[in-house]
Amino acid sequence: MSLSKTPVGRLAPSPTGAQHVGNARTYLLAWLSIRSRGGRVILRIEDLDSPRVKAWAVQQAIDDLKWLGLDWDEGPNQPGCEISYQQTERICLYRSAFDQLRISERVYCCTCSRSDVLAAASAPHASQEGPTYPGTCAHRTAADAETLAGQSFCWRFRMSDKNWLLTDAVAGTRNCDVNSELGDFVIAKADGTPSYQLAVVVDDHLMGVTEVLRGDDLISSAFRQLELYDFFGWEAPQFAHVPLVVGPDGRRLAKRHGDTRISVLRDAGVPSANLVGVLAHSCGLRRTPAAVTPQELLADFSLERLPRTPFVFTDDTWKQLLKV
Ligand code: GLU
């Protein structure tokens, strides 16, 4: 990444449900990392997983982000923005990228698993990573699509035999032999409707994103995405995978740990600065969890201060949050 480029980052909520405290922490860090360097922030709605997307969740995510005190330069309904920032309205862009993959035989038709196909529309958070695909249909070519008409199939991306080195701004140096460790992955449905992996790479490239900051359960996706950047000859963004928020049992923060929906805190009258204060403290940006705004965190922000272990959300965290 060239140093002279204006940093461009994105907030990319999936409206498959409500946004939680864990999402809030990632959005806050993504925003701080870019804004503290005078960069541009994009809001993109990742709504491809049509069976799981909830109509109300788009506006709620926008309201949550605004309530947190985050802003963006480009996004849905933003004055002066002529392109769409909602993935379901960008399908033709993904289709033309897919056509390049098909013409180059980097994809093949696969009749194996329907569950893989259903899962592919969303980002595969760690627990949703399926087993490595054994390559059963890898002998097929793209042209086989014609002979499969009427059968259900999907398109898989053919991994290279590369061993990728990822220099992550938070997670450090990681490497991955993509073929043996991850295997060929679903890239589109039979009709060319894209998977999360294809859509996110096309969008990040076309939107000029220079930094992708997200939860560290998506690190394996970064390696899949590096394969796509390499195929298209596009420059990959700087990746920054941040530790997740977990409950006292060490599992990803979820309903069993209490209701941490941002909208619920908001409706209960919790000041957003309380939440930002708790999150800033958890990120090593403040010595105490006292209330603070995102703006106030900009001056001395650095990703280097971020602890490299998950943030454990405990009963004490609840008390700090609810303190008025
Ligand atoms: N929309 C994805 C999610 O909320 C984020 C994926 C990404 O940042 O690449 O899980």
Side-chain angles (χ1 to χ4, degrees), residues 10 12-14 19 23 27 44 46 123 125 196 200 204 212-214 218 225:
R10 42 45 160 213
S14 291
Q19 306 294 312
N23 303 115
Y27 298 139
R44 182 171 76 224
E46 302 206 326
H125 293 280
Y196 153 76
V200 87
D204 284 337
V212 167
L213 187 149
R214 60 190 174 196
L218 286 174
Q225 292 164 18

Side-chain angles (χ1 to χ4, degrees), residues 85-293:
Y85 292 85
Q86 204 142 334
Q87 288 187 324
T88 44
E89 293 170 5
R90 297 171 58 80
I91 299 285
C92 58
L93 301 170
Y94 315 134
R95 284 244 162 91
S96 73
F98 171 73
D99 284 343
Q100 291 182 53
L101 289 161
R102 195 171 42 79
I103 291 161
S104 313
E105 291 288 341
R106 273 310 287 273
V107 292
Y108 60 86
C109 307
C110 171
T111 48
C112 289
S113 155
R114 193 165 151 68
S115 60
D116 276 9
V117 182
L118 293 178
S122 270
H125 293 280
S127 59
Q128 297 144 353
E129 284 279 353
T132 304
Y133 180 64
T136 319
C137 293
H139 61 279
R140 291 221 172 92
T141 64
D144 287 342
E146 283 159 37
T147 62
L148 290 172
Q151 272 192 62
S152 100
F153 71 92
C154 70
W155 293 94
R156 266 186 206 271
F157 178 82
R158 224 181 268 285
M159 282 291 201
S160 74
D161 54 5
K162 290 203 172 98
N163 190 327
W164 284 99
L165 190 71
L166 175 70
T167 312
D168 191 283
V170 176
T173 306
R174 302 288 179 100
N175 75 308
C176 181
D177 183 325
V178 285
N179 192 26
S180 66
E181 291 179 48
L182 299 175
D184 299 346
F185 60 92
V186 177
I187 193 106
K189 290 191 194 158
D191 65 359
T193 311
S195 69
Y196 153 76
Q197 306 290 356
L198 179 60
V200 87
V201 166
V202 170
D203 283 347
D204 284 337
H205 167 69
L206 292 178
M207 293 177 177
V209 168
T210 64
E211 180 179 278
V212 167
L213 187 149
R214 60 190 174 196
D216 65 6
D217 57 343
L218 286 174
I219 289 191
S220 356
S221 287
F223 289 107
R224 296 186 179 98
Q225 292 164 18
L226 285 175
E227 281 274 298
L228 292 173
Y229 281 107
D230 190 45
F231 169 82
F232 291 115
W234 297 337
E235 189 180 359
Q238 169 72 60
F239 286 102
H241 288 93
V242 302
L244 297 181
V245 182
V246 297
D249 56 0
R251 293 159 75 188
R252 187 192 172 102
L253 200 64
K255 274 194 194 121
R256 62 180 160 267
H257 303 115
D259 195 341
T260 66
R261 283 177 290 173
I262 303 172
S263 55
V264 168
L265 299 176
R266 178 153 50 92
D267 292 346
V270 173
S272 62
N274 279 23
L275 175 56
V276 176
V278 163
L279 298 177
H281 181 231
S282 81
C283 295
L285 303 174
R286 281 296 179 270
R287 270 199 293 273
T288 73
V292 69
T293 64

